[in-house]
Amino acid sequence: MKQRMLALAIALICSSASYAQNADAIIQKFFENTGGVAKWKALQGTKISAKVNQGGMEIPVTIYELKDGRQMTVIDFQGTEIKQNVYDGTTLWSHNQTLKGEKSSAEDTEIFKKDIGDFPHALLNYKARGYKVELLGKDTVDGTTAFKIKLTKSPGKVAGKDVENTVLYYFDTDSYVLVMFETEIKYGPGKGSTSVIKMSEYQDVNGLMMPFALSQGTKGGPSAAIVVTAVELDPKVDAAAFAFPAEK
């Protein structure tokens, strides 16, 4: 009986190790097939120009993400510039409905700061950051068979309590490119819901493969189609563009 239990324990350990190794291999293949680890690590920032389809209306959007943590989404709504999820290195803020700058709460800002260092991808340096990955098997995304990998990051605090901080990634089993990821929204208006982002139509941008067709929404809810019109790597951005607007 003891020998059987020992054999079972060894089998489970070997199975667990194999899954971890498979997850690593899939992640490695993803970076290899989209430009190479060295090129991804050298990336200092991105500027993505896109059009979001909302109710039949195409709205121009520009998204900036920099390696030092600064980020900004700029929406051009009928000639009016609206900034959302802007981080200048210290303050996280957005324009409210009256186009006045509004700072995020201290808790939301701290939750956001925990992800600084994940650029350009949380899976790139996940071991060094103390994250864990787990292969959950395969799933289907819009008819595409995909590997499903769970990334577990360090817990975050919501309402003063530690909460699980995980992301589910889905990789095409043939090309190994990322086709979808899901994560719980930890701050902002959608707090508590699950964000779902799908991506396809990868194109080469100076040696890195980037998706040019996306959809973003919440699990079980509607989604918005996003068509990327241009991607700029290592953009030069005026620091003043991220600054919280001064009171007039």
Side-chain angles (χ1 to χ4, degrees), residues 50-92:
K51 292 182 179 181
V52 180
N53 191 308
Q54 285 279 17
M57 180 186 297
E58 284 193 337
I59 303 172
V61 174
T62 307
I63 304 167
Y64 299 85
E65 283 191 86
L66 304 182
K67 192 171 186 175
D68 61 14
R70 288 179 296 164
Q71 72 169 38
M72 171 173 59
T73 298
V74 183
I75 303 167
D76 180 357
F77 186 72
Q78 298 180 343
T80 299
E81 183 180 87
I82 304 170
K83 293 184 178 181
Q84 296 290 299
N85 296 325
V86 185
Y87 183 67
D88 60 7
T90 304
T91 303
L92 181 66

Side-chain angles (χ1 to χ4, degrees), residues 12 36 38 48 107 117 119 135 154-155 160 182 195 198 201 212 215 218-219 236 238:
L12 288 173
I48 299 175
E107 181 180 78
F119 179 88
L135 177 60
S154 52
E182 301 176 334
S195 170
K198 297 179 181 180
E201 295 186 24
F212 273 66
S215 70
T218 54
K219 198 166 187 176
K236 293 182 179 179
D238 186 353

